[in-house]
């Protein structure tokens, strides 16, 4: 994991990416490039550090600021998963399940 952060530390203009969870009911995410898809059970976000899948129950987008790359989501969060290009087969399996 340290290799990933070291390789990205050379980029001076890279946008910050933070995930802040409050009580498993509210997520604030920075460094979001694009919201790929969302519904009340799943969000798929493209962030500056890869794709982030969020699964839960009664998920709703509370705030979206495209210019600043900030997304706020409320609802009961079950899991957060990053999908990297390094795990190509695993990512393809996830995307095929996501977009059935």
């Amino acid at each position: 994991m340290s290799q990933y952060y070291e390789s990205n530390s050379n980029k001076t203009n890279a946008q910050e990416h933070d995930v802040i969870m409050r009580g498993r009911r509210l997520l604030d995410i920075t460094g979001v490039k694009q919201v790929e898809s969302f519904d009340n059970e799943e969000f798929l976000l493209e962030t500056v550090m890869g794709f982030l899948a969020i699964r839960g129950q009664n998920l709703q987008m509370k705030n979206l600021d495209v210019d600043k790359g900030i997304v706020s989501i409320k609802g009961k969060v079950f899991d957060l998963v990053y999908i990297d290009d390094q795990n190509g087969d695993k990512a393809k399996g996830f995307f095929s399940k996501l977009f059935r």
Side-chain angles (χ1 to χ4, degrees):
M1 191 154 94
S2 63
Q3 290 174 335
Y4 183 77
Y5 289 111
E6 288 173 9
S7 67
N8 283 340
S9 63
N10 296 334
K11 298 179 183 177
T12 55
N13 60 355
Q15 187 178 7
E16 296 270 330
H17 173 58
D18 294 311
V19 178
I20 301 167
M21 185 183 305
R22 295 184 182 94
R24 220 177 140 183
R25 289 273 178 197
L26 181 62
L27 277 173
D28 290 322
I29 305 165
T30 62
V32 176
K33 290 180 174 180
Q34 185 174 336
V35 177
E36 291 290 327
S37 64
F38 68 94
D39 60 27
N40 64 346
E41 293 181 349
E42 241 171 347
F43 275 69
L44 180 62
L45 310 175
E46 182 182 358
T47 73
V48 296
M49 291 190 164
F51 284 93
L52 175 62
I54 301 156
R55 290 191 303 182
Q57 184 178 35
N58 299 324
L59 299 178
Q60 299 174 353
M61 191 175 308
K62 183 179 173 191
N63 186 27
L64 172 64
D65 189 334
V66 178
D67 295 332
K68 294 180 183 177
I70 299 171
V71 173
S72 296
I73 299 170
K74 69 177 184 175
K76 187 170 185 177
V77 177
F78 294 153
D79 64 15
L80 303 164
V81 179
Y82 284 92
I83 304 158
D84 294 330
D85 291 337
Q86 297 167 348
N87 303 330
D89 293 335
K90 188 175 183 181
K92 287 178 189 173
F94 178 81
F95 280 115
S96 67
K97 289 178 187 175
L98 185 64
F99 295 113
R100 278 192 235 183

